[in-house]
Amino acid sequence: MPGFDVNAARAQRLEALGRAWTFELDGDTFELPTELNRSVARKLRDLDDNDVDGLFHILLGESQFERFERHDITMQDIAAVLDAYGKETGLGLGED
């Protein structure tokens, strides 16, 4: 029985999803990664469950997060972004 080729599976996912998932807010476009490496996963794990700013800061990176902070985004907007992101990438962030 052949083994599982992690690199081939990753390449297939990236081909299907691309490297980034985008969302638009007030005419400003932001990119979130479609794959999270272990160091990002560790940073996310260490966040408080309600640290929305911390979550977006890690995922967006410094320059995108500075732009993101300028917007008046509601918690309902954030929930909608995270829901769409999870559905399209298979990454369940902000879920119980």
Side-chain angles (χ1 to χ4, degrees):
M1 176 187 290
F4 180 72
D5 186 338
V6 174
N7 292 332
R10 180 184 309 129
Q12 194 172 32
R13 286 191 311 271
L14 290 175
E15 185 176 329
L17 296 172
R19 291 202 170 272
W21 181 85
T22 61
F23 68 96
E24 188 175 314
L25 174 62
D26 300 329
D28 211 352
T29 301
F30 297 93
E31 290 186 354
L32 297 176
T34 57
E35 300 264 325
L36 301 180
N37 64 35
R38 290 176 53 235
S39 66
V40 170
R42 270 193 300 276
K43 290 176 187 175
L44 293 174
R45 180 191 64 211
D46 293 341
L47 289 177
D48 180 88
D49 289 345
N50 297 313
D51 189 355
V52 173
D53 286 338
L55 172 68
F56 276 91
H57 194 212
I58 291 168
L59 294 177
L60 291 170
E62 193 67 40
S63 64
Q64 284 195 103
F65 185 72
E66 285 178 17
R67 289 188 297 118
F68 181 77
E69 273 193 311
R70 295 181 200 136
H71 295 276
D72 185 23
I73 186 168
T74 68
M75 293 305 294
Q76 290 81 359
D77 294 333
I78 287 171
V81 167
L82 293 176
D83 183 56
Y85 179 61
K87 285 179 181 172
E88 292 189 35
T89 65
L91 296 170
L93 300 171
E95 297 176 348
D96 294 315

